[in-house]
Amino acid sequence: MGFTKYQLLARLQELKIEFTCYDHPVVLTVDEQAKYVGHLGGALSKNLLLKDKKHRLYVVSALAGTKVDMKILSQRLGLGKGGLRMAPEENLLQVLQVPLGCVTPFALINESASAVSLLLDQGFRSKQTCYFHPLTNDVTIALSSSNLDKFLTSIGKQPAYVDLEASPTVGKDSPPDLAHLVPSGVPNSSEPAVNVTPTIIPPQNSAPKETGVKVESKVQGEGAEKPQSKVDTSVDKFVNDIFDIISPLFISDEVSKKLNNVQKAELSSVLDDVKRRATPDLESITTSLKNSVYTSGFDSGFDTMLNSGLSGRPSRN
């Protein structure tokens, strides 16, 4: 079992890190979060969990207004144009040990996330206050970038601030400028996180004194955790359903009557090959749309999928 938000708050206090907690209803997008803490000033963040073709994972934490081009970022990491994609929900649950909508640099405190690389927007360094979820999206933490650095250093992560909107030339004479941030290993999602037993902090008594307006949470009972409902969204099943619908269109009863056994076998082999080649792209596009819905809201998530997932996608021969 991974860290809880109260165990994380306890760790921050042990490190003498100054922070402020703001309780609010569960939020799934930056726009929703802004309704409760946006008026306080500071920098809201959007956080993505990405995966490369070798199954290495990256958390990209950016200012809400920063435009992150995954194809350019992939090239800067030395992974080629299509080397990055949105990680599936299973990686959030098994590696970061947080549900959808709760990706955060704080999730790297879990031992299961030790091999995950973190890229931070350099814009955070110019902000007096930065906002992140503390492993759950019914609370927002406000702290300075220097205090975030202190936390990351304590868990063995060297803070790496990057200009995420830069588009430097990458070629023979210009090596990838972010290649050193590619993780050396793949997270072992089957390895359980280290159990910890720090002091549990009752939110209204032991949390640091707030400097802003506190929004009342709808959690019932002191220190109670809201149950996280598991969303049944299987990308594999969705993709298989697509092929189950398409396949009969190629081998209808009428077509089947006109083919001999050899031709039927050849057509079946062609369809299997098409499925094998198309499945990775369909899974990537579907996962991108699903995760974008939670990070940007449905409308902007659909636009993100179209702009980043479909346009410029290399065809498979």
Side-chain angles (χ1 to χ4, degrees):
M1 182 178 178
F3 274 67
T4 68
K5 67 179 177 182
Y6 297 119
Q7 291 170 337
L8 171 64
L9 297 183
R11 176 61 63 86
L12 295 179
Q13 285 200 325
E14 289 172 6
L15 295 170
K16 301 188 184 305
I17 288 177
E18 295 181 1
F19 66 94
T20 305
C21 281
Y22 298 98
D23 293 344
H24 51 68
V26 170
V27 294
L28 294 175
T29 68
V30 176
D31 289 339
E32 290 179 6
Q33 183 186 26
K35 295 177 183 178
Y36 302 102
V37 297
H39 64 285
L40 300 174
L44 292 171
S45 64
K46 57 184 178 183
N47 300 272
L48 305 173
L49 180 62
L50 306 180
K51 181 179 184 179
D52 66 22
K53 293 180 179 179
K54 294 185 177 180
H55 305 290
R56 295 170 298 199
L57 296 176
Y58 309 77
V59 168
V60 177
S61 186
L63 293 173
T66 296
K67 295 180 180 179
V68 180
D69 189 314
M70 293 207 315
K71 287 181 285 188
I72 293 177
L73 182 59
S74 178
Q75 286 183 297
R76 295 177 65 189
L77 289 165
L79 305 174
K81 288 185 178 180
L84 281 179
R85 61 182 62 180
M86 298 293 288
E89 182 182 358
E90 290 73 17
N91 287 144
L92 273 73
L93 299 173
Q94 297 174 7
V95 180
L96 295 189
Q97 301 199 50
V98 296
L100 285 168
C102 300
V103 177
T104 165
F106 290 120
L108 301 185
I109 193 173
N110 289 313
E111 182 67 23
S112 54
S114 61
V116 178
S117 181
L118 174 64
L119 283 70
L120 295 163
D121 192 334
Q122 68 175 15
F124 286 127
R125 306 188 86 169
S126 64
K127 304 297 182 180
Q128 184 173 0
T129 304
C130 306
Y131 294 115
F132 300 96
H133 289 312
L135 309 180
T136 179
N137 54 358
D138 60 357
V139 180
T140 293
I141 280 184
L143 78 171
S144 66
S145 61
S146 60
N147 277 321
L148 176 62
D149 292 349
K150 186 175 181 180
F151 163 76
L152 293 172
T153 301
S154 75
I155 61 172
K157 292 288 184 182
Q158 183 63 35
Y161 289 90
V162 176
D163 182 356
L164 293 172
E165 292 187 330
S167 182
T169 301
V170 176
K172 182 178 180 181
D173 299 325
S174 303
D177 62 317
L178 302 181
H180 62 287
L181 297 178
V182 175
S184 58
V186 177
N188 184 358
S189 59
S190 63
E191 180 178 323
V194 175
N195 291 324
V196 292
T197 55
T199 304
I200 303 300
I201 301 180
Q204 59 265 53
N205 295 328
S206 303
K209 184 178 180 180
E210 293 184 8
T211 57
V213 178
K214 181 173 182 177
V215 182
E216 291 295 326
S217 170
K218 295 183 179 180
V219 179
Q220 296 181 351
E222 180 178 346
E225 286 276 0
K226 286 190 176 182
Q228 296 289 347
S229 58
K230 180 173 177 58
V231 181
D232 183 13
T233 52
S234 172
V235 172
D236 292 341
K237 183 178 183 303
F238 176 73
V239 171
N240 286 329
D241 287 347
I242 290 178
F243 283 108
D244 288 343
I245 295 171
I246 294 176
S247 296
L249 300 179
F250 289 92
I251 313 181
S252 64
D253 292 339
E254 183 177 348
V255 172
S256 181
K257 292 177 182 178
K258 298 178 182 180
L259 301 177
N260 58 40
N261 291 336
V262 174
Q263 291 172 325
K264 290 179 182 178
E266 290 178 347
L267 180 56
S268 178
S269 177
V270 169
L271 291 176
D272 288 342
D273 186 60
V274 170
K275 180 178 180 179
R276 178 180 61 81
R277 292 171 178 268
T279 293
D281 285 342
L282 285 174
E283 289 179 345
S284 176
I285 292 169
T286 304
T287 301
S288 294
L289 175 59
K290 184 178 71 173
N291 289 337
S292 295
V293 166
Y294 286 92
T295 57
S296 305
F298 182 81
D299 292 334
S300 56
F302 191 73
D303 290 339
T304 300
M305 187 274 290
L306 290 177
N307 294 330
S308 300
L310 291 176
S311 60
R313 193 171 191 81
S315 60
R316 292 179 178 268
N317 298 320

